[in-house]
Amino acid sequence: QVQLVESGGALVQPGGSLRLSCAASGFDLAHYTIAWFRQAPGKEREGVSCLASYTRGTAYADSVKGRFFISDGDKKDTVYLQMSSLKSEDTGAYYCAVKPSDLSCSLSSEAYPNWGQGTQVTVST
């Protein structure tokens, strides 16, 4: 059974940094593509970043390029989202999601059948 558990969300000041974690269990993450999404109150869910395990390809939303970095751990059972130079518009609930890897890395939520419960990131003074 695919399980994803996000952690690391917090209240942080603008300009600060935060690292989110997504712990995967019940499947081999090496055979999946994983992505991070976020949703701010009153807004649609937005793709933030993805990592295709087979190709090691990555993708980032334009709004986070140069500030966010997706990676996986040595044991390949956790995926991280390192966020820096945080802005108030980065506030939202952050979710990780996975799909069986087909070599592509998509930021479309429709492509991902399995989701975690989310972790809240608030960027504010």
Side-chain angles (χ1 to χ4, degrees):
Q1 180 179 358
V2 173
Q3 281 197 315
L4 301 168
V5 179
E6 302 95 334
S7 62
L11 170 64
V12 62
Q13 292 188 345
S17 299
L18 208 57
R19 189 177 79 161
L20 305 183
S21 300
C22 175
S25 61
F27 66 103
D28 186 351
L29 192 58
H31 301 295
Y32 281 72
T33 289
I34 190 160
W36 284 95
F37 293 82
R38 67 186 180 188
Q39 188 165 20
K43 294 188 176 181
E44 293 187 356
R45 189 166 294 187
E46 172 191 22
V48 174
S49 181
C50 59
L51 169 64
S53 295
Y54 279 154
T55 64
R56 310 303 297 167
T58 59
Y60 295 89
D62 288 343
S63 59
V64 306
K65 281 181 181 176
R67 301 188 300 120
F68 289 15
F69 180 72
I70 190 170
S71 64
D72 52 11
D74 292 340
K75 296 183 178 180
K76 307 299 182 185
D77 59 358
T78 303
V79 175
Y80 305 96
L81 184 68
Q82 179 68 46
M83 307 185 293
S84 59
S85 302
L86 284 163
K87 307 174 182 180
S88 58
E89 49 263 46
D90 294 319
T91 294
Y94 282 69
Y95 303 87
C96 62
V98 294
K99 67 180 181 78
S101 183
D102 57 1
L103 307 183
S104 66
C105 184
S106 170
L107 292 180
S108 171
S109 61
E110 296 177 348
Y112 294 83
N114 303 106
W115 293 77
Q117 293 301 307
T119 186
Q120 179 67 34
V121 172
T122 302
V123 184
S124 175
T125 56

